Structure formats: structure tokens, C-alpha cells
Amino acid sequence: MSITASITTSENQNANAFAFQNISRKSNTSSQDLGVMNVLEMCAMINVIDTAKFDFPNFPEARKTFHAVYFQINESYSSLKGLFRGLASLGKPEGVVLEYVSENETFTLKFYKSNEQLTKAYLNKIITSIEDEIRFKSILNQIIENQRIIKAEQSLLLQKLFA
């Protein structure tokens, strides 16, 4: 014997209207309209210390503007400083310079205005990788804690069973 549920067409349309389509992470904002400074300032793990912008007055025909941004990793994210340095040293796009100054524990980002989109994509890639790592560690800690709780409950059940 089989039981089937009949759904009217209006109920079926409502079900399709709210049907689960896919899983995606919430994006903070559209990074297309943001500049490099906005990306750095929006990131909670980065403290921008100073910025500089240089033109080349001796060569006005070049029409190039050079940007330098000096920043530090926020103290609450200091454990991820090594990961940030490692990701930054893996390879930089041509025209983008990201250096770590160990004396004052700051990073220096240098780029031409014409390379701003490339620089923004590079920073987003590093920041996204670190955010993924933070999320992974958080989930892993929850799993480990759940396993610890389950083991503790099992041992209590075994004690009650064999007591």
C-alpha cells in the first residue's frame, strides 16, 4: 500500500518559490567598488598606520601615482601573523610589493595606481584565506569539544552500567 500526498498547484508554486537552491557564504560587500584602502580598513585583523602617495613631477608624461600603505596585524590576531607573512611571501603579482619590517612589526604595501585592481584582488585573496583558516579552526574546536563531551558521557554511562 502506498500513500501519496496530493499538492494543489498553488501549494506547489509556493513550495517552489521557497525551495532551497544552494548554499553560499554571505559576502560582506561588493568589493568591485572598493579601493585598496577600503579593503584594508574593513578588515578587522589589519590596523592601517599610515599611507603615502607619490607622483613623479620630473616625469609628468608618465602619469603614474605610487601608493604606499603601512599597516600592522591587530593584537587579537597576532597568532595569525605568521600565516599572513607566509601567504604574502608565496608570491606577489608583478607591480605589487608587500614587505614585512621585523624591527617595528609592520607591513608595507606598495603599488602603482594603475595596479589597484590587481592589488585589491591580491589582498582579498590573502584575507579570504586567513578568514577561511579562522573559520576552520573554530569549527575544528567545536568538533573536538563535542567529541570530548561525548567521551565524558560515554564514560559516565559505562560507570552507571557496570556499577
Side-chain angles (χ1 to χ4, degrees):
M1 175 186 231
S2 72
I3 300 174
T4 59
S6 64
I7 300 175
T8 63
T9 56
S10 66
E11 289 175 339
N12 194 14
Q13 288 174 346
N14 287 341
N16 287 340
F18 296 104
F20 182 71
Q21 298 296 324
N22 63 2
I23 297 175
S24 64
R25 280 192 280 165
K26 178 184 167 191
S27 61
N28 293 338
T29 58
S30 174
S31 63
Q32 299 291 46
D33 55 346
L34 298 176
V36 171
M37 283 304 302
N38 298 48
V39 169
L40 289 172
E41 289 172 351
M42 288 178 58
C43 182
M45 77 179 93
I46 294 175
N47 292 330
V48 177
I49 299 169
D50 196 12
T51 62
K53 182 169 92 170
F54 308 101
D55 291 325
F56 297 95
N58 294 341
F59 302 101
E61 66 278 356
R63 293 189 187 126
K64 289 189 175 186
T65 304
F66 187 75
H67 292 269
V69 181
Y70 307 95
F71 63 92
Q72 289 180 324
I73 302 297
N74 195 342
E75 283 298 318
S76 59
Y77 294 92
S78 63
S79 64
L80 297 170
K81 190 182 300 182
L83 177 61
F84 191 93
R85 288 177 59 195
L87 290 173
S89 68
L90 281 177
K92 297 171 221 32
E94 193 168 326
V96 178
V97 177
L98 181 60
E99 300 172 328
Y100 179 70
V101 181
S102 59
E103 290 80 30
N104 52 8
E105 297 184 352
T106 61
F107 290 89
T108 304
L109 175 66
K110 302 172 188 172
F111 62 97
Y112 285 104
K113 177 72 173 167
S114 60
N115 292 336
E116 186 167 14
Q117 293 299 323
L118 183 66
T119 305
K120 185 171 55 171
Y122 173 64
L123 284 175
N124 280 331
K125 187 175 179 182
I126 290 175
I127 291 168
T128 302
S129 297
I130 292 175
E131 287 172 346
D132 288 346
E133 178 70 14
I134 292 169
R135 184 173 176 266
F136 170 77
K137 284 182 178 181
S138 171
I139 292 170
L140 183 61
N141 285 335
Q142 288 175 352
I143 290 171
I144 291 170
E145 181 63 22
N146 287 344
Q147 287 179 343
R148 187 191 62 75
I149 291 170
I150 289 170
K151 283 183 181 181
E153 289 173 350
Q154 285 176 344
S155 68
L156 285 174
L157 286 173
L158 287 174
Q159 285 177 356
K160 296 242 183 215
L161 184 65
F162 294 114

